[in-house]
Amino acid sequence: MSVLEEVQGLEVFGEPLPNLIYERLRIDILEGVLRPGQLLRQEELSKRFDVSRVPLREAMTRLVADGLIVLRPRRGYAVSSLRRSEILEIFELRAVVEEHAGMLAARARTRDDIQRVEQYL
C-alpha cells in the first residue's frame, strides 16, 4: 500500500512525503494503533508506506521531537510510554511556543513576505 493510500482522510495535495508519513504515524500513535513500547522497524514501515528510509527517518525525527517516539541506541525507534495526558501536555506546550514564534515572525515580516504569501492564496 502506498503512503497516499495510508493517509486516507488527510489533505495530501502538495504535501511533502515526510509530512504525510509523520501525520499517519502520529494518528496511529494517538489512536493506540501503535502501542506504547512497540518497536518501529524502519524496514517494515518502508514497506508499509512504499517509501525509502529517507522520508521515513525525517518523519520519525519529528515524532522524536514531539515526544511520541524514542530512539533507543542499537534497538531503533519505539513508541513512547507516555500517558495520554502527558502527550496532550506536550502538544499544549508546543502550541504556546509555536504561537510565540508566529508572533515574532509576523512582527519581522516584510512586504516581500506578504506578497509571496498572497501568491499562494
Side-chain angles (χ1 to χ4, degrees):
M1 179 178 292
S2 74
V3 72
L4 295 177
E5 294 167 323
E6 274 289 315
V7 293
Q8 295 173 2
L10 297 175
E11 178 62 44
V12 295
F13 181 74
E15 193 70 26
L17 194 54
N19 291 359
L20 296 173
I21 297 167
Y22 164 82
E23 284 300 326
R24 181 71 261 161
L25 291 173
R26 180 180 166 276
I27 290 167
D28 286 353
I29 292 168
L30 295 176
E31 290 181 349
V33 175
L34 297 172
R35 304 175 67 73
Q38 180 177 342
L39 291 177
L40 302 175
R41 303 198 188 288
Q42 290 185 40
E43 306 84 36
E44 293 171 8
L45 292 172
S46 290
K47 288 178 185 174
R48 172 184 168 185
F49 293 118
D50 192 26
V51 297
S52 72
R53 291 188 189 183
V54 173
L56 183 62
R57 275 193 222 115
E58 208 173 309
M60 294 177 91
T61 298
R62 287 182 59 195
L63 291 165
V64 168
D66 289 346
L68 294 174
I69 65 173
V70 292
L71 178 57
R72 297 179 177 168
R74 294 178 300 280
R75 292 178 60 201
Y77 293 95
V79 178
S80 295
S81 296
L82 298 174
R83 294 186 312 270
R84 187 171 183 85
S85 62
E86 293 172 315
I87 293 170
L88 291 173
E89 182 180 356
I90 289 168
F91 278 99
E92 288 169 355
L93 291 170
R94 183 176 170 182
V96 170
V97 170
E98 288 180 1
E99 178 184 355
H100 183 69
M103 179 193 66
L104 295 175
R107 286 183 180 168
R109 74 183 187 273
T110 64
R111 287 191 188 276
D112 185 50
D113 295 331
I114 295 169
Q115 288 174 346
R116 287 191 353 228
V117 169
E118 287 175 343
Q119 290 175 352
Y120 292 105
L121 300 178

